[in-house]
Amino acid sequence: LLVEMDMRSKSELGGLDPQTGHVYEWAVKERMEQDSWIDGVMDDDDVDNYHSKINKNTQDDEILQDQIKDQDLHATKSQLKQLNQMVSEMKTSLKESVYRIKSHEAEVKRNYDGMVWSGKVETLLYLAVTGLQVYTVRRWLLTNSVLGR
């Protein structure tokens, strides 16, 4: 039997999941932090700062002005969020498969131990029956006068 218990507090993990009503899991909290980091890093202000740096540092303002567009960053942001969600789902799936493998290992060990025990009992029973048969045949042969004794 393999049991895992996860103690989580609402204040530590940022509240309750509105879909389940349970406290968020650590993986979900990590994904939410990454999403908020992505949102913070790729603000519209950063695009404006990039454009202002380009204006100050280069002479080809017209060529470099619109290299990064707001819509490009929004698409990148949403793709990063989807990628983070897929990675977290893969981690969860991997963790579940590791637990399943561990439980199968325990079941195989238990089955093996049972097989060894039943093999030993069967061997002892076989030896006892064989000994009883040898004793019975020997006694029968020694008491039977038909064989010339």
Side-chain angles (χ1 to χ4, degrees):
L1 181 62
L2 184 64
V3 177
E4 179 180 324
M5 186 175 194
D6 189 19
M7 299 295 288
R8 303 173 298 211
S9 69
K10 181 171 71 170
S11 61
E12 203 174 318
L13 292 172
L16 298 176
D17 186 1
Q19 294 176 345
T20 62
H22 298 286
V23 176
Y24 286 114
E25 295 178 1
W26 291 104
V28 174
K29 168 129 170 83
E30 182 179 328
R31 192 176 69 234
M32 288 176 15
E33 286 175 352
Q34 289 174 348
D35 288 348
S36 66
W37 180 80
I38 289 170
D39 289 337
V41 167
M42 297 183 162
D43 285 343
D44 293 335
D45 296 336
D46 291 336
V47 174
D48 294 337
N49 290 339
Y50 175 76
H51 289 304
S52 66
K53 286 180 185 176
I54 289 174
N55 288 336
K56 292 178 184 176
N57 295 333
T58 65
Q59 296 174 355
D60 299 329
D61 292 339
E62 295 172 4
I63 297 172
L64 299 176
Q65 181 67 28
D66 291 327
Q67 283 192 356
I68 295 180
K69 297 180 180 172
D70 293 340
Q71 60 191 8
D72 295 336
L73 283 181
H74 291 295
T76 303
K77 195 185 304 185
S78 67
Q79 288 175 354
L80 276 175
K81 287 181 183 180
Q82 288 176 353
L83 183 64
N84 281 336
Q85 184 176 2
M86 287 181 9
V87 167
S88 112
E89 288 172 3
M90 289 181 355
K91 283 181 183 178
T92 304
S93 174
L94 180 64
K95 188 187 298 184
E96 289 173 358
S97 67
V98 166
Y99 289 143
R100 187 173 50 245
I101 288 171
K102 284 183 181 179
S103 69
H104 286 296
E105 278 180 15
E107 185 178 344
V108 167
K109 183 175 179 354
R110 187 175 56 248
N111 288 343
Y112 174 76
D113 291 342
M115 188 176 63
V116 167
W117 174 252
S118 67
K120 288 178 182 178
V121 168
E122 186 179 330
T123 302
L124 288 174
L125 186 62
Y126 176 73
L127 289 174
V129 169
T130 303
L132 184 64
Q133 285 176 347
V134 167
Y135 173 73
T136 305
V137 170
R138 181 178 169 163
R139 198 177 88 206
W140 178 71
L141 288 176
L142 289 177
T143 59
N144 197 351
S145 60
V146 176
L147 295 176
R149 276 196 170 195

